[in-house]
Amino acid sequence: MKTRQSKPPKKSASATTSPSPKAPRAGRIGATLAAPLVAAVKTAPSPVDAATVSEIFSRLRAANPEPRAELDYLNPFTLLVAVVLSAQATDKSVNLATAPLFALADTPAAMLDLGEERVRGFIRTIGLFNTKAKNVIALSRILLEQHGGEVPASREHLEILPGVGTKTASVVMNVAFGVPTIAVDTHIFRVSNRIPLVVASTTDKVQAGLEAIVPEPFRLNAHHWLILFGRYVCKARKPECPTCLIADLCRYPDKTVAA
């Protein structure tokens, strides 16, 4: 005869339960990605108004009237290569690698003659160097075969090149051809959501928002001003709020204080 097993007692609503495991922390936003960056955005105040946007860029311009890209390049082609190599790497590490590379190959034809293996040797100190070497050779071949060795100025043609996404295309269009685009990297993404200029969860949305609100006189250099501001003042872990030239205009709720 089967023995009837008693059911375990039900837990009361007040019974203590084991704490659920904590959710893993979100990873840090990557510096530069070919695909649009997506991240959770902390609840932020409403974006500043148009007059404040103009005042912010007026101050940034006064502090640095002629901002320049920190990547070293010789022409549109070497700029394109440098920006492709800068994905998930610092400008400093890219400059160290490209100085000897560009001395030998500053055109698509010369880069193809150098070959993937030798390119890989020059950029070995940069993250993802195997994939990047393949991309540099592939885009050089496309430029030579389809564009007569010249870098196209249109987003449509740039974004089909290997290793080139929205951000890279925007940088090349802005720096090489003077198109007033605002390429959004991790620094600009953070600054825009902090001030806030534009509150959005992807780099593409931030770029579209910035290009819509930044006044025309500031638009050409806005990318440089914001990236330098994010890199050296509005830092990720500890922004330099006490010495920030727009601290009184910024609505960031967690401003740092002087030590």
Side-chain angles (χ1 to χ4, degrees):
M1 183 176 68
K2 294 183 179 180
T3 304
R4 185 177 179 180
Q5 296 181 351
S6 59
K7 295 182 180 180
K10 293 183 178 180
K11 293 182 179 180
S12 65
S14 60
T16 302
T17 58
S18 300
S20 58
K22 293 182 178 179
R25 292 183 178 179
R28 292 180 61 191
I29 298 172
T32 49
L33 301 175
L37 187 68
V38 180
V41 177
K42 182 178 179 179
T43 301
S46 299
V48 297
D49 57 26
T52 304
V53 171
S54 184
E55 177 62 19
I56 286 171
F57 283 98
S58 292
R59 294 186 190 183
L60 293 175
R61 180 174 63 183
N64 186 3
E66 297 183 5
R68 292 288 179 266
E70 293 192 318
L71 283 173
D72 294 336
Y73 64 96
L74 306 173
N75 51 40
F77 172 69
T78 53
L79 172 65
L80 172 63
V81 172
V83 180
V84 167
L85 296 180
S86 71
Q88 300 182 46
T90 65
D91 288 357
K92 181 178 180 181
S93 67
V94 173
N95 290 339
L96 289 173
T98 56
L101 173 62
F102 292 161
L104 293 177
D106 63 353
T107 66
M111 195 69 73
L112 281 176
D113 288 343
L114 205 58
E116 183 180 322
E117 185 175 351
R118 292 190 68 190
V119 170
R120 188 184 302 116
F122 281 106
I123 67 171
R124 190 172 294 275
T125 55
I126 302 174
L128 306 176
F129 64 89
N130 283 317
T131 299
K132 290 176 180 179
K134 292 180 186 295
N135 287 339
V136 167
I137 291 299
L139 69 83
S140 296
R141 181 174 290 107
I142 292 173
L143 291 179
L144 200 61
E145 294 176 351
Q146 300 182 20
H147 300 284
E150 299 295 325
V151 175
S154 74
R155 183 180 299 280
E156 177 186 2
H157 289 106
L158 284 169
E159 290 189 3
I160 64 172
L161 297 173
V164 177
T166 300
K167 174 188 171 293
T168 298
S170 295
V171 172
V172 173
M173 291 167 65
N174 179 270
V175 177
F177 302 112
V179 179
T181 59
I182 304 177
V184 176
D185 73 341
T186 183
H187 300 294
I188 298 178
F189 182 83
R190 179 178 65 253
V191 167
S192 178
N193 277 288
R194 266 186 182 171
I195 291 174
L197 297 170
V198 174
V199 177
S201 59
T202 69
T203 52
D204 284 356
K205 290 179 180 178
V206 170
Q207 177 169 342
L210 288 174
E211 290 178 354
I213 67 166
V214 175
E216 191 278 331
F218 305 111
R219 207 169 296 150
L220 180 62
N221 288 321
H223 163 78
H224 298 299
W225 285 320
L226 291 176
I227 194 171
L228 294 173
F229 180 68
R231 186 172 288 168
Y232 299 112
V233 181
C234 197
K235 302 173 185 176
R237 294 187 179 180
K238 189 178 180 182
E240 304 288 340
C241 300
T243 58
C244 174
L245 55 78
I246 63 166
D248 59 313
L249 304 176
C250 173
R251 297 177 178 178
Y252 182 51
D254 300 323
K255 288 190 177 76
T256 59
V257 296

